[in-house]
């Protein structure tokens, strides 16, 4: 066996072309074999199939058929976000153009920790991050792996700006990554403010900011994980201003509404935030990862500054080579900005807005089907694209069992959420190609598997 070919370089495209045919054929074969949104049989069955396909994962002699076999196994055992009945999580089906761009990023393999590893990628990242920052009213943005890293980075920047006594104040509806960040960073115990209707209560926030010594970092949410709800951002921003508190908005889910003329008003007040988390692998239809953190005051970024002579020596920086090390707490970083840049340029604001409008309309349509069906109960009209519902008269145990039964058969993938003291099925609709009959089929499946 000779030296294996490289993906890049003068002969890289010739080496890749037949391999891409193998991958595409394997994806098609595996998807057809699965036949639904999830492989049937549950964890043990899937693990056995994968183990059987993988065999000896590090054999003495290589297997030239490994690419076909393992991609087929992965596709057959995948939870397919492009299937209209896969609607559990904030896990969007990626756009074809974004996936194609991601291939180019993998082939070229720039690492955005020094300019000499990523000349064009670093320039493109600067263009894209500043353009997306402007959408939130900010000055700059950092590329992250998603909402969790963005939230943790927001807490880090606040701590470096205001000291180790910083108190995080967040709604009970906040993402778990926010209080977790305080533990990772050694900050005082965070304060959870009531969210009785699923959104942070401004009056309770005001009371907490009055009672608890600062400095404060208030974290609001624009698109909760459980129900897609948006905190009252203008009122929260006003309370922060009155108390001199810093404001972070976790808009990992909801930020995509900025692309929609019809829905962007839901994010009024976002521009008052000091930092905002965005996540384009949700309402941006990007392959994971695709997160950003916007920053209003670029002086905050000084906290990430660091010198490593082999990456950003002083004399190189003074000579004009960009310093990339202060753009992330990570060192090696892939050019995830390329897929976002290609998507933004290809679809434009109108095209992305149409996708956002489509999934929001699907949620309204699905909520209508639930509300008019005597066998189901709707929790509330959707704010973005998440719908909570449950079989009428079912117990929480029944709701949990229905979901697990559908997962076990591989016929539908629904999430779960607790609201108003009860367990609900969660449909997170992020597939703009889904249709009304898909929504009706989902209800029929749930109805058919509900204990009577």
């Amino acid at each position: 066996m000779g030296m294996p070919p490289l993906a890049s370089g003068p002969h890289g495209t010739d080496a890749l072309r037949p391999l891409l045919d193998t991958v595409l054929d394997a994806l098609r074969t595996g998807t057809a074999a699965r036949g639904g949104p999830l492989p049937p049989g549950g964890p043990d069955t899937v693990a056995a199939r994968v183990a059987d396909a993988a065999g000896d994962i590090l054999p003495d002699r290589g297997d030239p058929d490994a690419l076909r076999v393992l991609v087929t196994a992965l596709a057959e055992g995948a939870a397919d976000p492009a299937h209209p009945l896969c609607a559990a999580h904030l896990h969007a089906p990626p756009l074809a153009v974004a996936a194609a761009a991601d291939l180019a990023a993998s082939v070229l393999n720039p690492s955005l920790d020094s300019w000499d590893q990523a000349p064009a990628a670093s320039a493109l990242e600067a263009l894209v991050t500043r353009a997306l920052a402007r959408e939130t009213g900010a000055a700059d943005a950092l590329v992250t792996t998603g909402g969790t890293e963005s939230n943790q980075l927001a807490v880090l920047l606040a701590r470096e700006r205001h000291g180790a006594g910083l108190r995080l104040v967040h709604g009970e509806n906040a993402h778990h990554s926010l209080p977790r960040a305080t533990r990772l960073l050694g900050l005082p115990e965070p304060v959870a403010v009531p969210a009785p209707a699923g959104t942070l209560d401004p009056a309770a926030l005001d009371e907490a900011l009055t009672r608890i010594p600062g400095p404060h970092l208030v974290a609001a949410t624009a698109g909760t994980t459980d129900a897609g709800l948006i905190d009252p951002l203008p009122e929260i921003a006003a309370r922060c201003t009155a108390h001199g508190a810093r404001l972070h908005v976790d808009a990992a889910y909801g930020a995509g509404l900025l692309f929609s003329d019809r829905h962007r008003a839901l994010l009024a007040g976002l521009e008052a935030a000091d930092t905002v988390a965005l996540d384009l692998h949700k309402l941006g239809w990007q392959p994971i990862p695709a997160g950003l953190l916007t920053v209003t005051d670029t002086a905050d970024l000084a906290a990430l500054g660091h010198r490593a002579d082999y990456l950003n020596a002083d004399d190189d920086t003074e000579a004009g080579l960009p310093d990339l090390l202060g753009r992330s707490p990570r060192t090696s970083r892939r050019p995830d900005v390329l897929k976002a840049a290609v998507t933004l340029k290809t679809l434009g604001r109108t095209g992305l807005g149409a996708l956002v409008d489509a999934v929001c309309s699907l949620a309204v349509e699905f909520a209508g089907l639930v509300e008019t069906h005597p066998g189901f109960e709707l929790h509330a009209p959707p704010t973005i694209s998440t719908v909570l519902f449950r079989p009428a008269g079912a117990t929480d145990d029944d709701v949990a069992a229905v979901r697990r039964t559908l997962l076990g058969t591989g016929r539908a993938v629904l999430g779960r959420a607790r609201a108003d003291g009860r367990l609900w099925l969660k449909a997170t609709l992020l597939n703009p190609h889904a249709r009304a009959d898909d929504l009706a089929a989902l209800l029929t499946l749930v109805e058919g598997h509900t204990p009577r």
Side-chain angles (χ1 to χ4, degrees):
M1 185 177 186
M3 295 295 287
L6 301 176
S8 56
H11 305 294
T13 53
D14 294 332
L16 273 174
R17 200 173 303 278
L19 296 176
L20 292 181
D21 286 340
T22 297
V23 166
L24 294 175
D25 287 344
L27 288 171
R28 184 181 298 111
T29 300
T31 300
R34 178 179 5 96
L38 198 74
D44 291 343
T45 300
V46 173
R49 288 187 193 128
V50 171
D52 183 61
D56 183 355
I57 206 67
L58 185 60
D60 289 336
R61 300 181 65 82
D63 179 0
D65 205 28
L67 179 65
R68 181 191 63 79
V69 170
L70 291 180
V71 172
T72 301
L74 193 68
E76 184 176 355
D80 185 0
H83 193 287
L85 300 188
C86 189
H89 300 286
L90 288 165
H91 178 193
L95 295 167
V97 71
D102 210 30
L103 169 64
S106 293
V107 168
L108 296 170
N109 207 29
S111 181
L112 280 121
D113 49 323
S114 66
W115 181 87
D116 59 345
Q117 298 176 80
S122 60
L124 185 63
E125 181 174 277
L127 292 173
V128 174
T129 51
R130 287 166 193 161
L132 289 172
R134 287 194 295 270
E135 293 296 311
T136 72
D140 202 353
L142 304 176
V143 174
T144 70
T145 54
T148 292
E149 185 188 349
S150 294
N151 286 338
Q152 292 176 347
L153 191 52
V155 177
L156 171 65
L157 295 183
R159 184 196 70 178
E160 295 304 291
R161 190 68 178 256
H162 297 286
L166 180 78
R167 294 300 295 272
L168 173 66
V169 183
H170 62 83
E172 291 176 336
N173 60 339
H175 192 265
H176 61 82
S177 59
L178 282 158
R180 187 182 187 198
T182 65
R183 296 193 294 275
L184 293 172
L185 294 170
L187 290 173
E189 188 70 18
V191 178
V193 173
T199 56
L200 192 155
D201 179 3
L205 173 64
D206 192 78
E207 188 275 331
L209 294 176
T210 301
R211 172 174 51 87
I212 298 159
H216 304 112
L217 170 64
V218 173
T221 306
T224 59
T225 303
D226 277 351
L229 303 178
I230 297 173
D231 287 341
L233 301 180
E235 294 89 339
I236 292 169
R239 295 325 198 269
C240 290
T241 299
H243 290 274
R246 184 180 175 99
L247 175 60
H248 170 65
V249 178
D250 176 4
Y253 180 9
L257 299 174
L258 290 168
F259 300 124
S260 166
D261 291 340
R262 187 186 308 171
H263 296 287
R264 65 178 295 127
L266 291 169
L267 297 179
L270 191 68
E271 68 283 352
D274 295 280
T275 51
V276 177
L278 291 75
D279 202 342
L280 296 178
H281 57 247
K282 296 180 173 65
L283 287 182
W285 293 277
Q286 298 299 291
I288 295 170
L292 294 103
L293 177 74
T294 71
V295 180
T296 299
D297 184 353
T298 55
D300 286 342
L301 301 182
L304 298 177
H306 185 73
R307 285 291 171 192
D309 195 62
Y310 75 105
L311 294 174
N312 60 349
D314 288 337
D315 57 316
D316 277 349
T317 303
E318 290 165 5
L321 296 184
D323 175 8
L324 304 184
L325 201 55
R327 301 291 299 175
S328 174
R330 293 175 285 142
T331 303
S332 299
R333 290 194 296 119
R334 73 190 304 273
D336 289 312
V337 74
L338 175 62
K339 60 198 176 194
V342 169
T343 300
L344 296 173
K345 185 76 172 173
T346 301
L347 273 68
R349 186 186 301 279
T350 301
L352 279 166
L355 294 177
V356 171
D357 292 345
V359 295
C360 290
S361 295
L362 275 173
V364 171
E365 188 169 4
F366 185 59
L369 289 176
V370 171
E371 195 167 28
T372 57
H373 194 300
F376 289 96
E377 181 181 352
L378 177 69
H379 177 259
T383 300
I384 306 179
S385 66
T386 299
V387 179
L388 300 185
F389 69 106
R390 55 183 283 144
T395 66
D396 283 358
D397 287 344
D398 290 338
V399 172
V402 168
R403 175 179 173 273
R404 286 192 293 268
T405 298
L406 291 172
L407 294 179
T409 62
R411 300 188 66 188
V413 189
L414 287 167
R416 53 185 286 162
R418 191 162 290 279
D420 300 336
R422 293 192 291 166
L423 187 65
W424 299 79
L425 295 172
K426 177 174 68 171
T428 308
L429 301 171
L430 293 179
N431 184 349
H433 290 271
R435 295 292 178 259
D437 55 345
D438 299 317
L439 304 177
L442 183 57
L443 270 189
T444 299
L445 273 175
V446 174
E447 185 178 28
H449 288 82
T450 301
R452 300 297 180 196

